[in-house]
Structure formats: C-alpha cells, structure tokens
Amino acid sequence: MLILTLRDDKVWKPLISSIIITFLVEVKAGGEGWLLQSEQLPSDTRLIPGIGNGHVATQVYSDTIYISNVYNGYTNSTHRARIPSTVGITVTKDDLIDRNYTLDMRRGDQLSFAASVISSLFIAHFLGEDYTIEQWLYAHRTRSRILVCDVTVSRHGDGTPGDVEIRLELNRGDPSEDVNLTTVEYNTTTYYTTGPILEPETETSDIPVVHQFWTKVPYSVVLPASESTQTWRFLTALSTDLNDALAEYESAINSGTSELQQEHITAWESLWSDSDIVVLNYEGGYEFQETFRAALFHIMISTPDQVDVINPFGGLSPGTAAAVGGLARGGKLNNGSSADNDYLGHVFWDMDTWIMPAILMFHPDKAKLMIDSRLRVINATRDNAIGSGYRGVRYPWEQAYTGYETCPWDLAALYQIHITADVSYAIRQYLYTTEDVHFVVNGGGKELVMEIARFWESRSVLRDDDKGYEILGVMGPDENSANVNNSVFTNYNAKLSLSLPQYLRDKLGISYTPDELEEVASFNEVSSNIYIPFDDEIQFHPQYDDFDYISKR
C-alpha cells in the first residue's frame, strides 16, 4: 500500500487529467471510495462500465463480448472480433419504482443480498412495492473463461403474497460480422456456439476458433408465492479451445453460487491488498484516491493474473479521448471508425510508456505479462526490421495478433518508429524495479534487449562527426509532423535502448560472448555520440531539426 501526503492541487491533478471514469452520469461515490453509483446508465455507450478479467470482457448490457488476442480482418483492417453477448441480460418489470446501478471496485456490504464483502461487480438494484431485484454481473477473476450473471428476487417481509414474475431479455444484437458462428443445443439448459474468425491478419496467420458454452435465458423467471427469495444464475464460458471452454463451464455449473462468488472475492481482495493508495492530510485527497482506484481497476480488468498457455495475453489497448479503453471495447463500428471505438483494440506505445509503469509498482507480475506480449511476436518484428532494410527488431506502431503492422494511418506506420525504443524503455523500468535476472537470462529478455539495440544501431547514421549519430525520417510522439529528422524524443529513447545491454552487464551481472561484447561496445559508441537537439541560446530542446518553436509557442 502506498501512502501519500498531498498539499497542492498542482501535485496530483495533472496525474489524473487524462483519466476518465466510465460511469459519468450523476456519479456518486460510496463504500469508502470503492463504489461508483448512478440512478441511470450513460446514454453514450462508450461510457458504459466494463467487466473483465484479462481473458474476456464486456460492457454491461452490451451485445458484445471480446476475447483477448482474438482479432478479425486483414492487415490494417484487423480489429477485435465481436462475439454476440450471452451475458447482456436486461431485467424488467412494469411496476418498478426505483433503480440504482453500482460499479463496485472492491466492496459494497450494504448492497449485497448475501451481506458479504464483494469485489469487482456491476450491480443493478431494482425496487418494487413489495419486492427487490438485484442483478450481479462479473467476469470471474480466477476462472478466467467465465462470465456470470446472477439475478436475485427477494420478497419484502410485509409484501403481498403471490408470484413475482420478472422479464429477462438477452441482448445478442445482430449476427457477428467477424466470426462465422453456429449455435446448437448442448443440453436442456445450455447452448454451444462455435466458429472461426472470417479473415486472418495475414495470409499465413492462425485462424482462431471461438468456443462458447452458455446458459439458456428464459423469457421470464418467477419467484413462487411459497418462497421469499430465489437466485437464478446464468454462466458463459469462452475460449479458443473446445476442451478448455467445456471444462470451465461444467466446473462452474457444478459449483455453488456462493463458491463462485467467494473465489472471485478472494482473488480481487488479494489484488487490492497490494494496490491501494491512501491519501492523508489533504482536502482533495479523497478525489485523487477514488480516481486512482478507478484507473487501476480498468487496467486490472483487462490484464490477466498469470500466463495463459492456450490464449496468450495480447497486450493492452488505449482508450480514446472520450472513453476508457481496455479489453471491453475495440471492435469495428458500423461506420468503420476506429477513433470512436478505442483504436480497434490494437496495442500502442501507451502500454509500454504510460500504462505499465502505473501498475509496475503494485503488480510487477502484470508488468511482466505486458513485456511478454511483446516477446510473443519477436519473430514478426524481426521480419519488420528486415523488410525496412535494418537489423534487429522493429515493432509496429499498432500491434494486434501477429506483430506485423496493423495501423490504418500510413504516416504513423511508416515514421513513428519510437515504439521500438518504448518497448526497451518498458524493459528498463521493469528491471529497475525487479532486477529479474531470470527473465533476462531464461525468459528472452537479453535477446530482446540486444535485438532492439541492433535496430537502433543500424537505424543511426553518422553524417557529421561534430554532430554525431543521427536518426532521420521519423515522426515524434506529437504526431503533427512526419518524415522529420532527429526527433529529440526518438533520439534520446534510442540512446537509452543502445545503452541497455551494458546496463544488463554492469548492474545485473549478465554475461556476453566475445562477439556479443564487440556488439555492446559498438552500441555504447553510438549511444554516447547520438545527436540530441538542443538550442544553446534559449536552453531548449526543439522537438526535431528545424522545429518552428516560435510560432508553436
């Protein structure tokens, strides 16, 4: 747990200026800063809360579920493959007099019909004159294939006797345009839906097959007059492996509702026990603390807790300026726009530079999974480097399943090469924090560090001995200028990439072969003499050569 004492708005407000909490309709905080509550859902679907566990995710009540690393579409049209939802169940009754929606990031004792601590749930609470309906939606934290919808109807103690019938409506939406799905009856209570994606990312890419087992949803459920309360449970299991999906579904079906809930609760309590920030002695600290929790919550629902050998973690995608990103979004909109739907679920430098450091201090194991998502595609990135005439590895500006370029904007795909240095910087941050020698020696870390350094050495040119090594024809992070020379951000990040092999030797004791030592010495030579633009007159680093900072001030 991190404890901060904040004394000035200038200290913390810039830290959260880019964070948008999804629940933006009359949001009220509760539960000691763990609950985000509203009496209505946002009309803007981009702001609907998400539930997820790093393998599967959905926005509540939406018609779509996504599986990590399952994309459809060729090259720069690839996007997260839309799977029609089997958990987007709407509960209705004509005589409701009140409703409340809660995103519970950790605990909500006062809302729980089970009167227990609950974690990472979306709760819909409906009130009738003589009954209460509670709907719990969650992606199970330890059973990562499972999505759960629990609906409980409870009769008030002095309520009118008789049956209480509520209607259920499953929002599956239109048939998927990404996956060729077929649904059959598996047994009297369960459907089985399966099918391959329609178009792989490249001509030689794998074609994943979706397997989905899900509980049949009736038109209505009835609380009999003889009972005071009853719970109905609707489960969905999703995987790219048939046996995996079926085993997880049957295990969940054979587990009790309270058992599933308690496993989920325990796992989330473990995550939060090492993740919280407690702000002391500052009037605005509560707002910071609540916002931090919401931001970290959205990272964690899109990040798994362990290595997935069946469906490896594909990495984290960023959100747009209007919505929080992550696994719950990223498909293709009907109008073909990606900007409004979180960049099609592609992975950018945001993961390496902005998202990973935020979680590294709390969960280095999750940071390692993010780095692993880059290591997974190392062979494709070697092809990228060779294809552009250089050595080593070159990461795409937008990574999807394969590691080849999927960015629909040609200028960024061609020139925004700082992404490769961003990956190296993420590794540097991870090693600063963990000193994980095993990862370097046995986990592919050393290989990737060396390959990135090889790329930057081959990408640097010595045109002027006085100026040093230059990197020509790039686009910096501001994305306003393409094909410029000597981006200060790119050059300095490349400098750090080139010096990282020496860091492995000096600080972590990593050994090199004689040939590798010659390479490291060459990397150091370029790193020590790489050109970093600087204006001595006004003591300023221009963004790149010939940058017009007078008119841009």
Side-chain angles (χ1 to χ4, degrees):
M1 179 182 295
L2 179 64
I3 299 178
L4 300 179
T5 300
L6 301 180
R7 306 185 186 279
D8 191 329
D9 285 357
K10 294 179 180 179
V11 173
W12 67 270
K13 284 192 173 178
L15 299 176
I16 62 172
S17 61
S18 62
I19 296 172
I20 299 178
I21 302 174
T22 56
F23 226 168
L24 290 183
V25 179
E26 298 283 336
V27 171
K28 300 176 182 177
E32 299 180 349
W34 294 104
L35 306 179
L36 302 177
Q37 299 174 281
S38 174
E39 295 178 356
Q40 59 180 318
L41 292 172
S43 58
D44 187 338
T45 57
R46 294 173 299 179
L47 307 180
I48 296 291
I51 55 172
N53 55 28
H55 173 72
V56 293
T58 184
Q59 289 180 285
V60 296
Y61 300 132
S62 79
D63 64 4
T64 298
I65 297 172
Y66 294 115
I67 300 178
S68 177
N69 219 17
V70 175
Y71 294 87
N72 179 62
Y74 188 66
T75 61
N76 62 8
S77 69
T78 193
H79 52 277
R80 284 218 175 100
R82 176 184 172 268
I83 302 165
S85 179
T86 49
V87 74
I89 301 171
T90 302
V91 178
T92 60
K93 201 173 189 309
D94 293 336
D95 59 348
L96 294 176
I97 59 177
D98 191 21
R99 66 186 66 211
N100 183 274
Y101 302 97
T102 301
L103 181 63
D104 177 4
M105 297 180 290
R106 182 169 187 171
R107 57 174 52 122
D109 302 39
Q110 302 304 315
L111 296 174
S112 167
F113 64 79
S116 62
V117 177
I118 55 181
S119 299
S120 182
L121 298 169
F122 176 84
I123 306 168
H125 186 273
F126 307 103
L127 181 65
E129 288 191 5
D130 53 8
Y131 64 88
T132 298
I133 305 169
E134 281 194 353
Q135 180 185 23
W136 291 14
L137 294 167
Y138 63 99
H140 203 279
R141 193 71 216 180
T142 57
R143 306 186 188 212
S144 64
R145 277 52 177 156
I146 301 297
L147 291 161
V148 182
C149 171
D150 290 332
V151 177
T152 297
V153 181
S154 301
R155 192 188 312 278
H156 296 172
D158 55 353
T160 303
D163 293 348
V164 179
E165 181 179 8
I166 62 171
R167 294 190 300 277
L168 305 178
E169 182 177 350
L170 176 60
N171 180 20
R172 282 180 62 76
D174 296 330
S176 175
E177 296 182 353
D178 298 322
V179 191
N180 185 18
L181 295 171
T182 301
T183 298
V184 297
E185 186 175 71
Y186 180 71
N187 58 35
T188 56
T189 62
T190 302
Y191 286 120
Y192 169 50
T193 298
T194 186
I197 64 165
L198 296 179
E199 187 176 30
E201 193 175 310
T202 71
E203 294 177 355
T204 58
S205 299
D206 295 337
I207 300 177
V209 177
V210 171
H211 300 277
Q212 182 179 28
F213 290 88
W214 52 286
T215 308
K216 295 178 180 179
V217 180
Y219 170 77
S220 65
V221 293
V222 177
L223 175 65
S226 59
E227 298 184 20
S228 60
T229 184
Q230 187 169 334
T231 297
W232 293 266
R233 186 176 62 173
F234 303 96
L235 301 177
T236 293
L238 286 148
S239 180
T240 54
D241 179 85
L242 170 60
N243 293 329
D244 182 44
L246 180 57
E248 287 294 302
Y249 183 79
E250 291 184 336
S251 175
I253 284 290
N254 293 326
S255 302
T257 298
S258 60
E259 179 184 351
L260 286 181
Q261 292 173 357
Q262 189 57 53
E263 289 176 0
H264 179 74
I265 290 163
T266 301
W268 268 97
E269 282 296 302
S270 177
L271 286 176
W272 281 120
S273 66
D274 296 324
S275 302
D276 198 15
I277 283 183
V278 176
V279 181
L280 303 177
N281 303 325
Y282 180 64
E283 183 178 352
Y286 185 83
E287 182 184 348
F288 171 83
Q289 186 168 305
E290 176 189 301
T291 306
F292 166 80
R293 287 170 176 166
L296 189 57
F297 170 82
H298 282 92
I299 295 174
M300 292 198 291
I301 67 172
S302 296
T303 313
D305 295 334
Q306 58 189 2
V307 174
D308 191 327
V309 297
I310 293 175
N311 183 42
F313 176 56
L316 282 177
S317 63
T320 65
V324 173
L327 184 53
R329 291 174 53 80
K332 196 168 188 178
L333 298 183
N334 292 333
N335 62 9
S337 169
S338 63
D340 289 339
N341 207 21
D342 299 341
Y343 304 105
L344 305 177
H346 297 169
V347 181
F348 289 71
W349 72 310
D350 302 59
M351 179 181 74
D352 313 278
T353 304
W354 307 109
I355 301 174
M356 196 199 83
I359 203 169
L360 177 59
M361 70 173 75
F362 302 103
H363 295 287
D365 55 330
K366 292 185 180 297
K368 173 62 164 47
L369 290 173
M370 295 179 195
I371 295 172
D372 285 344
S373 73
R374 296 299 197 181
L375 268 167
R376 179 184 64 84
V377 298
I378 190 170
N379 289 333
T381 59
R382 286 193 181 102
D383 292 343
N384 295 341
I386 293 170
S388 56
Y390 301 101
R391 297 189 301 119
V393 296
R394 174 178 172 173
Y395 278 86
W397 180 238
E398 297 186 24
Q399 177 181 314
Y401 174 73
T402 66
Y404 295 106
E405 185 62 72
T406 59
C407 179
W409 183 25
D410 290 342
L411 289 178
L414 184 60
Y415 294 113
Q416 207 150 6
I417 63 171
H418 68 78
I419 176 62
T420 302
D422 299 324
V423 174
S424 179
Y425 187 69
I427 296 172
R428 179 183 287 268
Q429 295 286 313
Y430 174 74
L431 294 176
Y432 281 166
T433 306
T434 66
E435 297 186 346
D436 187 351
V437 174
H438 178 79
F439 159 68
V440 176
V441 176
N442 304 113
K446 175 185 172 184
E447 178 186 12
L448 183 53
V449 166
M450 291 290 287
E451 288 284 56
I452 291 175
R454 289 177 185 124
F455 172 76
W456 288 114
E457 182 185 42
S458 65
R459 193 60 174 77
S460 305
V461 296
L462 186 62
R463 297 193 303 174
D464 182 337
D465 289 341
D466 293 332
K467 199 172 188 179
Y469 289 90
E470 301 178 71
I471 300 176
L472 312 177
V474 301
M475 177 190 286
D478 69 344
E479 299 190 336
N480 289 324
S481 303
N483 198 17
V484 300
N485 296 332
N486 295 314
S487 156
V488 66
F489 179 89
T490 303
N491 285 24
Y492 197 83
N493 216 357
K495 177 185 179 73
L496 291 176
S497 299
L498 287 159
S499 66
L500 189 54
Q502 187 67 47
Y503 172 85
L504 300 186
R505 187 184 186 205
D506 294 345
K507 302 299 183 181
L508 300 182
I510 304 303
S511 61
Y512 291 96
T513 66
D515 288 344
E516 288 173 336
L517 285 175
E518 286 188 18
E519 278 195 285
V520 172
S522 181
F523 299 155
N524 293 338
E525 165 66 19
V526 178
S527 176
S528 299
N529 294 283
I530 201 163
Y531 172 57
I532 306 298
F534 186 71
D535 189 316
D536 288 315
E537 183 178 348
I538 61 174
Q539 296 292 292
F540 174 77
H541 286 286
Q543 285 196 48
Y544 47 82
D545 286 354
D546 303 320
F547 177 68
D548 184 8
Y549 48 85
I550 300 299
S551 64
K552 294 181 182 292
R553 283 189 302 182

